[in-house]
Structure formats: structure tokens, C-alpha cells
Amino acid sequence: MTSTNTTSSSADVLFQPFQIKSLALKNRVVMAPMTRSFSPDGVPGENVAAYYRRRAEGEVGLILSEGTVIDRPSARNEGKIPFFHGDAPLAGWKPVIDGVHAAGGKMGPQIWHVGAVAHPFADWAPPAPPESPSGLVAPGTARGQAMSEEDIADAVAAFARAAADAKRLGFDTLEIHGAHGYLIDQFFWSGTNERTDRYGGATLAQRSRFAGEVVKAIRQAVGPDFPIILRVSQWKQQDYAARLASTPDAMTDWLLPLVEAGIDILHCSQRRFWEPEFAEIDGAHGLNFAGWAKKLTGAATISVGSVGLSGDFMAAFAGESSTPVGLDNLVERMQRGEFDLIAVGRALLSDPLWLTKVRMGHREHLKEFTAAAMAELVM
Ligand SMILES: Cc1cc2nc3c(=O)[nH]c(=O)nc-3n(C[C@H](O)[C@H](O)[C@H](O)COP(=O)(O)O)c2cc1C
């Protein structure tokens, strides 16, 4: 770092180490999980390993993999999404984590089941009908079939096996994908969970039973010291305005039991990290989702959403470009300890050296994000 370099000093808070259980991170920056669909037959290859290794070489403290699916026939909705089960896919993941470690990074897979959500662009069908709590992809919209209690028990066991495999392969943590309207979130959401058995109910706490069972089974599989991350969101891709918890009390009822079941870090997904979660309580500059989740549960939290870029990621899917923007708001929030870690998605997808440039204050070298970057594994 040079003394002429203002960004480097103001961004220092991003470069503080962080430790939780067995996970020691050299800085506070997390690569957000991003589906890339470059794994034919569900097997990540050398190109995928090189892509993640490049981000570790670019100093990213913790890398979360793209969503990688459990052993259920309809867990994915596109043919090049990687599996996190089976001999060949797991053998494909081994060089990924070894490469990240060799470059001084840490990594966890994001363990996923898409539920009833279809891929937005791919004309691809899973080998079995899509499955979800009530056979609904959105309120009032049927797709696939409702899961039986046997299906649910098998899905819980499949999550646990994936977790055991993550630890066995040498990953440092894992993230459960409980956000964005996919399977676990479909249980949380009253609009897609109309079950009348013990996996449904009028309260969010009742509809969290499936997530709680997944968390407990994973904790059992990985032991007490291995940190478990849970990604949650209020918004759904089916409905950006949807909210699971509209008050802090409701948020506590939702998230605290999951933390007590074994979650160490809540990854609170927002499209724009600076948006207040409960502005009616603490104002337009109030705590964001990760800030409230940390305050209400005591868990460590990760925030995310449009860090360093002018437009949000849904705009990216619509083909819009985003230009680099400053990090002052982020730095201020992290200096106040609002949340512990910050995830960065598109900026790292399109530039493996983004964090190095931020550390060195090379703002002029930060890249614009274009939708074209999503079509390749940028090295
Ligand atoms: C190409 C792409 C794929 C994504 N895939 C996933 C995914 O598999 N799992 C997930 O939880 N979020 C996924 N996301 C959301 C990102 O993790 C992140 O929350 C979002 O991009 C906002 O961060 P950003 O504004 O820094 O890009 C994806 C985003 C993009 C752009």
C-alpha cells in the first residue's frame, strides 16, 4: 500500500481477520455463491477449479461455491449445475478446494435444492417431476408435486450426506441455500407452503421445521467445530416484494431457532446492501437485514448486494451493465460492526483481482460489469 492511496486506508476494515470456530479468515470479503452452469453431467472440471483458484489468488477471504445440489432427482433445474454427490462430481470438487487452499483461500460449497423453480432460460427437465412443499412454485401457481414425509426425510438425509462430504473433501465450511424462493425458502413462505402436516402451519416458526431438521442433521454430520452458514432472504425471485418477517419479533421467531439448531453464520441476502430492513424503526439509514439478524440472534452475519456496482444483479440478468461505485457506505457500516462479513458477487465474477485492486487503491482499474461476463468463466 502506498501513502498516496486513499482507498486503501479507508477500506482497511475489509482486511481485518475474522475467526469463527475452526474457520480463520484473513479478511472480511466473501465471494457470493453464483451459479455458473459449467459442469457437464454435474461434474466440475479443471476450468471450474481454475476459476475458483483465481479468486483465492485475488485474496478473497472466503469463497462460497455456486449452488451445488443434493442427491434428489429434481434437485437441479439445468444440466450443467454441479452435483454435490456421487463419485465423479465429488472427485471433481476435490481439486477445487485443494487449489483454493494452495492459493491461501478458504471455501465452502453452497448446498442447494431448487424446489419447484424452473430455470429461467434453459429448456431442460429433471429426470423426475419438480418437488416442493405443496406442489406450488409461487402462490397459486402449480408446478410439480408436493413432497411426501418420506421425500422430506430423504432430502434431509441428502443434505446431511452432502455436508459430511464437504468436510471429508477438506472444505472449510458450507452454506445451506435457504433463500431466493428455492426449496427451503418454499417451506418458509406461506405462499408456497400450504401443508397441513407438521411441516406447514400458520406461523413462520412452524414452517421452519424443514430448515431446522436440515440444520440439525448437518450439525450432526459435521460435528461441533465446523462452521455452518445459512443463506436466507426476505425476497423471492417469484416476488421481489415478498417478506417472511415484517417485524423484528417475527425475524427473531424465524432465525433464532435456526441459530439454536446449529447455524453459526447467517448470510442475509439483499439486492442492495444499504437498504434498511425496518426503516419504520431506525430510519432510512437504519440497520440492513444482516444488521438486524446479528442484533436479534447474536449470530455472525454476512451482508451482500450490489457492492461496488451501480446496478443490482437482477438488472444484470436483464442484460444491463453496471459501473464501479465507491465503498464508503459499506466501509462505514463495517466500521460500526453492523455485520461481520460482506459478500461480493458480480464484481468478483467479472474480475478475479477486484479485491486486490480495492486493497491497493487502484480504483481506476476496477471493471464495469457486463452481462457478457456471465457467459464465460473469467480467469
Ligand atoms: C450469475 C449469478 C448467479 C447466481 N447464483 C446464485 C446461487 O447459485 N446461489 C445464491 O444463493 N445466489 C446466487 N446469485 C446471487 C448472488 O449470490 C448475490 O446475492 C447477488 O449477485 C448480489 O450480489 P452482487 O450485487 O454483488 O452481484 C447469483 C447471482 C448471479 C449474478
Side-chain angles (χ1 to χ4, degrees):
M1 275 188 253
T2 67
S3 55
T4 53
N5 197 328
T6 50
T7 306
S8 61
S9 56
S10 66
D12 279 355
V13 67
L14 296 178
F15 298 93
Q16 301 298 311
F18 181 76
Q19 171 118 26
I20 188 160
K21 292 189 171 171
S22 56
L23 180 66
L25 301 177
K26 65 185 172 195
N27 62 48
R28 304 297 180 108
V29 177
V30 178
M31 180 172 173
M34 285 177 288
T35 292
R36 304 311 320 275
S37 296
F38 281 94
S39 299
D41 301 320
V43 181
E46 281 174 18
N47 53 343
V48 172
Y51 163 81
Y52 286 115
R53 183 178 175 136
R54 284 286 287 149
R55 275 72 193 163
E57 288 167 353
E59 306 179 41
V60 174
L62 175 64
I63 295 171
L64 294 172
S65 80
E66 60 205 286
T68 172
V69 301
I70 63 166
D71 187 9
R72 288 286 299 167
S74 61
R76 61 181 188 166
N77 59 10
E78 193 279 331
K80 291 184 183 164
I81 289 172
F83 292 128
F84 209 81
H85 60 87
D87 291 345
L90 293 176
W93 279 112
K94 181 67 179 150
V96 175
I97 182 57
D98 289 349
V100 165
H101 283 164
K106 300 283 164 87
M107 184 168 185
Q110 189 194 45
I111 309 296
W112 191 24
H113 183 314
V114 300
V117 174
H119 193 279
F121 315 117
D123 182 17
W124 186 88
E131 60 180 6
S132 62
S134 301
L136 296 172
V137 62
T141 308
R143 185 167 189 269
Q145 60 193 31
M147 293 168 82
S148 65
E149 291 215 7
E150 204 177 21
D151 294 331
I152 291 175
D154 190 65
V156 170
F159 270 105
R161 282 197 303 278
D165 284 332
K167 187 176 177 194
R168 183 174 54 78
L169 290 176
F171 284 94
D172 306 283
T173 180
L174 67 89
E175 175 167 284
I176 304 166
H177 195 343
H180 304 172
Y182 294 110
L183 183 66
I184 291 176
D185 203 14
Q186 287 168 9
F187 276 88
F188 288 144
W189 194 19
S190 60
T192 44
N193 183 348
E194 298 182 340
R195 298 181 74 95
T196 52
D197 64 3
R198 62 208 167 103
Y199 293 97
T203 68
L204 190 45
Q206 290 171 310
R207 298 190 305 273
S208 297
R209 171 183 279 271
F210 175 63
E213 288 188 4
V214 168
V215 174
K216 284 183 199 151
I218 286 182
R219 176 55 72 206
Q220 182 79 26
V222 297
D225 262 357
F226 192 81
I228 306 174
I229 307 170
L230 174 66
R231 195 170 219 212
V232 285
S233 64
Q234 298 263 31
W235 67 272
K236 324 284 160 221
Q237 62 196 293
Q238 298 92 326
D239 178 0
Y240 295 157
R243 292 187 93 190
L244 296 175
S246 51
T247 63
D249 282 351
M251 187 175 281
T252 304
D253 290 346
W254 172 31
L255 298 179
L256 190 56
L258 297 170
V259 169
E260 288 170 349
I263 292 302
D264 301 292
I265 306 178
L266 289 165
H267 187 172
C268 301
S269 174
Q270 286 183 260
R271 292 160 58 204
R272 293 169 282 263
F273 76 87
W274 58 87
E275 290 183 347
E277 189 58 36
F278 299 117
E280 64 282 11
I281 296 174
D282 57 4
H285 303 289
L287 299 178
N288 72 8
F289 181 15
W292 274 101
K294 181 176 169 72
K295 176 173 154 152
L296 295 171
T297 67
T301 59
I302 308 175
S303 189
V304 65
S306 303
V307 170
L309 289 173
S310 59
D312 79 27
F313 86 103
M314 284 305 178
F317 284 111
E320 284 178 33
S321 300
S322 287
T323 50
V325 296
L327 300 177
D328 292 354
N329 187 329
L330 174 68
V331 165
E332 282 164 29
R333 285 172 189 264
M334 294 197 75
Q335 283 171 341
R336 288 198 298 267
E338 183 173 336
F339 41 83
D340 301 282
L341 301 165
I342 185 68
V344 178
R346 289 161 300 145
L348 283 169
L349 183 155
S350 58
D351 186 357
L353 297 179
W354 179 84
L355 186 57
T356 302
K357 292 173 184 176
V358 167
R359 183 178 61 72
M360 299 182 75
H362 292 167
R363 288 282 309 282
E364 69 282 10
H365 297 308
L366 294 179
K367 286 188 190 169
E368 179 181 53
F369 176 85
T370 66
M374 293 199 288
E376 59 172 316
L377 292 175
V378 178
M379 300 292 175

